[in-house]
Amino acid sequence: MRTTKTIRLTAAVRCFLWLMALMTLASSCSENDSVEAPNNDYCYIKSVTLGNIKRKTRTLNTSFTGSYYAMTIDQRTGAIENRDSLPYGSQLDRVVISIAFDGSMLAYSDIGTENWTAYNATDSLDLTKPLQLKLTSNDKNSERIYTLKVNVHQQEGDSISWNMCESEEAFAEMTDLKAFALNDKLMVLGKKTEGIVLLERSGIEAQGTWEEAETNLPAETDVQTLRQQGLNLYLSTSDGKVLTSTDAKEWTQAGAYTAANLTLFEKTEDFFYAISEGKLLSSANGTDWKEEALDTEATMLPQANFRALTTEQDNGNRRIILVGHREDSDHAVVWSKMWNDNEPEADAQWIYYPISPDNTIPCPQLYYFNLLPYDGNLIAFGGASADGTRQALAAIFVSRDYGITWRPSTEIRLPAELEGTEECITSTVDENNFIWIITNTQVWRGRLNRLGFAQQ
């Protein structure tokens, strides 16, 4: 009998404790419900975050996450905007934005109106034009007005905007043009009947004037061999001399090769590189030349129209890309030499890029061939193709793998007015990432739009 009474008593106690807990919880909830919002004059926006944004351009129809573009709040002036502009083609007519604030109520309206609409975090807003935001404090006694503006690039970043700077009749009398930028000026070397002449532009701005300057270059000069290394210019002559200058006007001899004709194609910090009678040569001083090591027969070296440039890869490797023409080929031939801390420049071997099942997009063989480094890649363009399949200045060819493959760009286009130009064509890139194209009569200037966007 005692055992039974003990069990019943315990059950009763448990029931009583359970009821007490419910009463305590109810009392606690009642107290929480009675807590009021702080009655203060706090009134400021803490953060603004853009939601998903659609983007539509000539070649794209996609979307991106707007939160990647931070919105900056100036609490002093009340201005809210993104310093890093959204991509060209961003659609801002319906955008959900998240706004964190300290205050009682937030509303928005068009600039200059009083048609206020209460902000709801799930509503999409029209951000194609600036909005004003009105925030009311918790005590309802203060208000603060902010201006929200979303910046969008007005040019497509991956396209080039071109303009014709001027028409210069002096080029019509010149042949074999070679353009380069030096000391904030654009210059062109070329041949006239009386010899080598230098045209010098007043600057690298959109508009400028040209003047002919005297130069002491001999008639045997091959202007296409002109190379720049730092502040120094180098070129070679058909009789084997290597000349140097700092202003393109006064030239002195820097070396020579007396065994045969010499065509300089590149100058690095430590070496000259040239081709002579089917041999690829290098020299540390411009006078003592040695034959370079090749990975295949020298019969595959280019025979004419040598173009080269030196580039530094992301991993620190240095590389020369040599492009030229052969009579027995419908496409240009490409060679490369790469070196680094483990393999010095003097010991590095030249590698030939053959056409193979893995490389079916070779560099085209174009008359007046132009090769430039641009935006971390190689670009090439020029006159008509040797096989007759392409018109002059019909496309820019881009290589993103250091000269192995070359594709006509669908985004970076040349001026339509130049297509079919059969005259001399030369080009260069200035320090502001502008590409200059000069023909026998016209001067054009263009830049990939995003390379001109202000860096914030």
Side-chain angles (χ1 to χ4, degrees):
M1 294 297 292
R2 284 179 185 175
T3 302
T4 303
K5 288 181 180 179
T6 301
I7 294 173
R8 287 177 179 174
L9 182 60
T10 301
V13 171
R14 288 177 178 174
C15 182
F16 174 76
L17 293 175
W18 182 71
L19 289 173
M20 289 295 293
L22 287 177
M23 292 175 65
T24 301
L25 180 61
S27 174
S28 174
C29 291
S30 176
E31 291 175 1
N32 287 340
D33 288 343
S34 64
V35 175
E36 296 181 357
N39 187 25
N40 54 43
D41 60 354
Y42 293 171
C43 184
Y44 66 95
I45 292 178
K46 299 177 180 179
S47 66
V48 176
T49 305
L50 300 178
N52 198 55
I53 298 174
K54 294 180 180 180
R55 184 187 180 199
K56 187 175 182 180
T57 69
R58 178 174 52 85
T59 58
L60 288 175
N61 190 357
T62 184
S63 63
F64 64 92
T65 303
S67 59
Y68 292 155
Y69 297 82
M71 302 296 294
T72 301
I73 304 174
D74 188 331
Q75 298 291 352
R76 182 176 60 85
T77 64
I80 304 173
E81 64 180 328
N82 52 316
R83 292 180 178 176
D84 188 6
S85 296
L86 302 185
Y88 173 83
S90 296
Q91 307 293 294
L92 299 183
D93 53 333
R94 294 174 60 84
V95 180
V96 175
I97 62 174
S98 175
I99 304 177
F101 59 90
D102 199 336
S104 65
M105 187 180 71
L106 179 66
Y108 61 89
S109 73
D110 292 336
I111 298 292
T113 71
E114 295 295 328
N115 300 321
W116 298 102
T117 301
Y119 164 73
N120 188 317
T122 62
D123 291 345
S124 58
L125 305 183
D126 182 357
L127 302 179
T128 57
K129 55 184 180 299
L131 293 177
Q132 55 186 353
L133 306 175
K134 182 171 71 172
L135 180 60
T136 304
S137 63
N138 291 317
D139 62 8
K140 309 297 191 297
N141 293 325
S142 301
E143 289 183 350
R144 190 170 186 180
I145 302 295
Y146 289 83
T147 301
L148 173 63
K149 178 184 178 183
V150 180
N151 299 310
V152 180
H153 282 304
Q154 299 304 304
Q155 295 176 315
E156 190 167 3
D158 292 326
S159 64
I160 288 185
S161 296
W162 294 97
N163 71 290
M164 192 181 83
C165 296
E166 58 256 349
S167 179
E168 181 56 51
E169 293 302 323
F171 292 123
E173 303 174 13
M174 299 171 65
T175 61
D176 203 17
L177 306 175
K178 178 64 178 179
F180 56 101
L182 181 68
N183 299 327
D184 294 328
K185 289 186 178 182
L186 188 65
M187 298 185 177
V188 176
L189 280 174
K191 292 184 178 180
K192 283 187 177 181
T193 305
E194 59 271 24
I196 307 299
V197 297
L198 173 68
L199 282 183
E200 185 177 35
R201 197 172 185 269
S202 55
I204 54 175
E205 294 76 23
Q207 300 300 322
T209 57
W210 293 86
E211 291 185 0
E212 185 172 326
E214 293 185 1
T215 178
N216 64 341
L217 284 171
E220 303 82 34
T221 300
D222 183 350
V223 299
Q224 294 301 329
T225 65
L226 185 136
R227 306 304 303 157
Q228 290 179 258
Q229 178 53 233
L231 299 176
N232 296 312
L233 303 172
Y234 301 90
L235 47 68
S236 63
T237 65
S238 59
D239 57 356
K241 294 185 179 69
V242 177
L243 307 178
T244 183
S245 175
T246 57
D247 61 4
K249 300 171 185 176
E250 294 294 328
W251 295 80
T252 58
Q253 187 167 327
Y257 183 69
T258 57
N261 294 339
L262 183 80
T263 302
L264 183 72
F265 67 80
E266 185 58 309
K267 174 66 174 74
T268 65
E269 293 181 4
D270 298 319
F271 291 95
F272 295 87
Y273 291 93
I275 287 181
S276 177
E277 295 191 336
K279 297 178 181 179
L280 202 162
L281 308 174
S282 67
S283 173
N285 57 16
T287 298
D288 301 313
W289 297 84
K290 69 173 185 177
E291 196 167 346
E292 287 278 285
L294 311 177
D295 78 328
T296 191
E297 296 295 328
T299 53
M300 296 310 298
L301 287 171
Q303 299 168 324
N305 297 320
F306 311 126
R307 303 290 185 269
L309 55 84
T310 302
T311 184
E312 183 171 351
Q313 300 176 199
D314 293 337
N315 60 7
N317 290 343
R318 301 275 291 170
R319 188 191 293 263
I320 304 174
I321 294 93
L322 167 64
V323 184
H325 295 176
R326 290 189 60 84
E327 292 181 356
D328 57 358
S329 176
D330 288 335
H331 56 80
V333 294
V334 181
W335 289 74
S336 174
K337 175 175 180 170
M338 185 182 71
W339 66 94
N340 51 42
D341 293 339
N342 298 322
E343 184 179 21
E345 183 177 354
D347 299 336
Q349 186 181 49
W350 285 86
I351 307 298
Y352 171 61
Y353 294 158
I355 303 304
S356 66
D358 296 329
N359 179 17
T360 59
I361 317 172
C363 184
Q365 186 160 281
L366 306 173
Y367 298 112
Y368 302 116
F369 187 77
N370 284 253
L371 176 68
L372 298 172
Y374 198 67
D375 190 33
N377 302 308
L378 312 182
I379 63 172
F381 54 88
S385 59
D387 61 6
T389 60
R390 294 185 181 276
Q391 281 191 309
L393 293 171
I396 286 181
F397 297 85
V398 178
S399 177
R400 306 182 188 278
D401 50 16
Y402 304 104
I404 299 175
T405 59
W406 299 79
R407 299 176 185 274
S409 176
T410 58
E411 297 173 337
I412 308 177
R413 300 176 182 271
L414 291 165
E417 294 87 341
L418 286 180
E419 186 169 351
T421 299
E422 295 292 350
E423 302 161 342
C424 249
I425 302 163
T426 187
S427 63
T428 192
V429 179
D430 68 25
E431 61 185 15
N432 298 319
N433 297 310
F434 281 102
I435 301 173
W436 293 84
I437 298 178
I438 300 172
T439 69
N440 278 115
T441 56
Q442 297 179 0
V443 179
W444 287 79
R445 178 177 182 258
R447 180 170 62 186
L448 198 61
N449 291 325
R450 58 182 168 78
L451 297 183
F453 293 160
Q455 299 297 314
Q456 303 292 344

